Amino acid sequence: MSQPFEDLPTTPTSEELVDKAFSRAARAGRAKSGHDAPLSMLQTASNIASDNLENVVSDWPDFDDLDPFYEELADAVIASNTTDDDAPDIGGIDAVRQHLSEINWASRKTSEIRDEYQGRIATGDIDTARKLRKQAFARIADVVEEVEGDLAAVGAARDDLKTLPDIRPDEPTIVVAGYPNVGKSTFVNAVTNARNETASYPFTTTEIRVGHFDDGHIRYQIVDTPGLLDRAPEERNDVEAQAASAVEHLADAVLVLVDASEECGYPLDLQLALRDDIEARFDVPVLTVCNKADRSRDVEADLYMSVTEDENVQGVLDAAVEAVDYEPELPYDGQ
């Protein structure tokens, strides 16, 4: 399962939709004569407005079918948009549902206007037909403009969600946590067999790092989440706290790296307090790993390693794989 929002197309504005519908309608009308001209114009304008509005709705994934990780992360990202003075106040996922519902209403309404006016245009004299076509156009424009704010809100949500990092919740995942400078990114770089990917959460300039490695023909995902799991919970704002909560759905095991030498710049007691919070929040195995063990081992830990000295790095990775205890689903043979 890939990032569910990355292929969302650009959301048109109400003005763009009206201009597109009426300009296409004008071309369609020039190709016809008599009553066929206003009828063709009405049909074209209505179809373009209705279809484009419907596409805005249908292009979005069903929120009820989202993996809990992406559902909660998307809710946090959308909510964070309200902190930007220049962005529409779109709330969270429930607000986007409502905006999409209003856009869907507008799609149906433009079709109803077409159905209402078609018979009247076809049976009246040509002057009346042209007046009725103009009335229909005015009503279609009013309907599209009525959802101007809904389109803007959905467009803003789309722009933010497209930039979410591509994380695969269906892959066995190891989350690496711990205070800054304890060696998390160095560890991720060391154990992934390719240059790891980076992407930024839309609500922070901090990059998330994602790497992959294979073990026993199984592809594992290893994730470093700076800005979320590298500081005390009370230091996170509401959006960061919710995003950290989303990571709980993602992790199959957590490695908490600590630096007993304290060269990272954080006292050991703070590092262990962060570890304790992670243990309390995550309902998966949490392993305490003393990194920089060549400098200090003065902490009780599950594992000791030094990435820079290549000491027990593979052992830590093997322990993480064992903690995940992933068993791939086998095809059902019907027996």
Side-chain angles (χ1 to χ4, degrees):
M1 180 187 298
S2 61
Q3 211 272 57
F5 305 104
E6 62 183 351
D7 294 327
L8 282 175
T10 302
T11 306
T13 66
S14 60
E15 183 178 1
E16 288 170 342
L17 266 182
V18 169
D19 287 346
K20 180 179 181 181
F22 291 169
S23 62
R24 295 275 184 88
R27 289 202 296 271
R30 287 194 292 269
K32 304 286 184 178
S33 61
H35 284 76
D36 288 341
L39 281 171
S40 179
M41 293 176 71
L42 173 63
Q43 183 81 25
T44 301
S46 171
N47 287 352
I48 288 177
S50 180
D51 290 350
N52 278 267
L53 290 167
E54 183 181 3
N55 289 340
V56 170
V57 178
S58 62
D59 285 335
W60 277 75
D62 188 337
F63 287 118
D64 292 332
D65 293 338
L66 288 178
D67 182 272
F69 166 72
Y70 271 117
E71 180 181 10
E72 192 157 356
L73 189 58
D75 195 51
V77 169
I78 295 169
S80 73
N81 201 311
T82 62
T83 64
D84 184 345
D85 293 337
D86 296 328
D89 187 355
I90 58 177
I93 279 179
D94 286 342
V96 173
R97 289 182 200 264
Q98 184 59 40
H99 292 306
L100 291 172
S101 177
E102 294 296 323
I103 294 169
N104 194 45
W105 164 84
S107 173
R108 295 195 309 269
K109 190 65 177 177
T110 55
S111 295
E112 291 173 5
I113 292 170
R114 175 201 61 210
D115 295 342
E116 176 185 345
Y117 278 86
Q118 275 182 328
R120 297 169 63 188
I121 289 174
T123 57
D125 59 67
I126 190 63
D127 288 337
T128 300
R130 289 168 179 159
K131 290 178 182 178
L132 289 172
R133 191 271 303 165
K134 291 179 180 180
Q135 287 180 16
F137 272 26
R139 289 182 60 187
I140 290 172
D142 286 344
V143 169
V144 176
E145 289 166 3
E146 191 169 337
V147 292
E148 178 181 8
D150 300 289
L151 289 167
V154 167
R158 172 261 183 199
D159 292 344
D160 274 347
L161 293 178
K162 276 183 68 72
T163 64
L164 283 177
D166 186 10
I167 294 177
R168 309 297 174 95
D170 53 338
E171 291 184 354
T173 302
I174 300 162
V175 171
V176 182
Y179 269 93
N181 305 318
V182 297
K184 300 190 300 296
S185 60
T186 307
F187 173 72
V188 172
N189 288 338
V191 300
T192 51
N193 54 19
R195 186 175 181 180
N196 63 72
E197 307 153 23
T198 62
S200 295
Y201 291 107
F203 48 83
T204 177
T205 57
T206 305
E207 288 185 326
I208 183 173
R209 288 181 280 271
V210 183
H212 299 89
F213 66 92
D214 296 316
D215 185 279
H217 304 292
I218 297 173
R219 187 174 189 255
Y220 289 81
Q221 185 171 239
I222 188 163
V223 179
D224 175 18
T225 58
L228 298 183
L229 300 177
D230 64 352
R231 53 183 148 155
E234 58 270 16
E235 296 178 7
R236 303 176 193 139
N237 61 37
D238 290 344
V239 174
E240 291 167 340
Q242 186 171 348
S245 177
V247 176
E248 295 175 36
H249 299 292
L250 179 70
D252 295 300
V254 183
L255 298 178
V256 181
L257 271 58
V258 297
D259 175 10
S261 73
E262 300 184 343
E263 291 181 4
C264 63
Y266 297 90
L268 184 57
D269 60 340
L270 286 182
Q271 298 180 57
L272 295 177
L274 179 62
R275 185 275 315 272
D276 292 343
D277 172 73
I278 290 171
E279 284 185 334
R281 290 176 59 97
F282 283 77
D283 189 25
V284 297
V286 177
L287 302 178
T288 303
V289 181
C290 174
N291 190 29
K292 307 180 186 178
D294 56 312
R295 303 178 189 179
S296 175
R297 291 175 173 248
D298 191 19
V299 63
E300 184 176 342
D302 297 299
L303 299 150
Y304 297 84
M305 75 173 177
S306 172
V307 179
T308 57
E309 299 299 319
D310 194 22
E311 176 188 334
N312 199 36
V313 175
Q314 187 60 47
V316 169
L317 193 63
D318 291 343
V321 169
E322 184 177 355
V324 169
D325 193 24
Y326 178 75
E327 294 185 7
E329 292 185 9
L330 300 177
Y332 179 62
D333 59 9
Q335 300 297 321

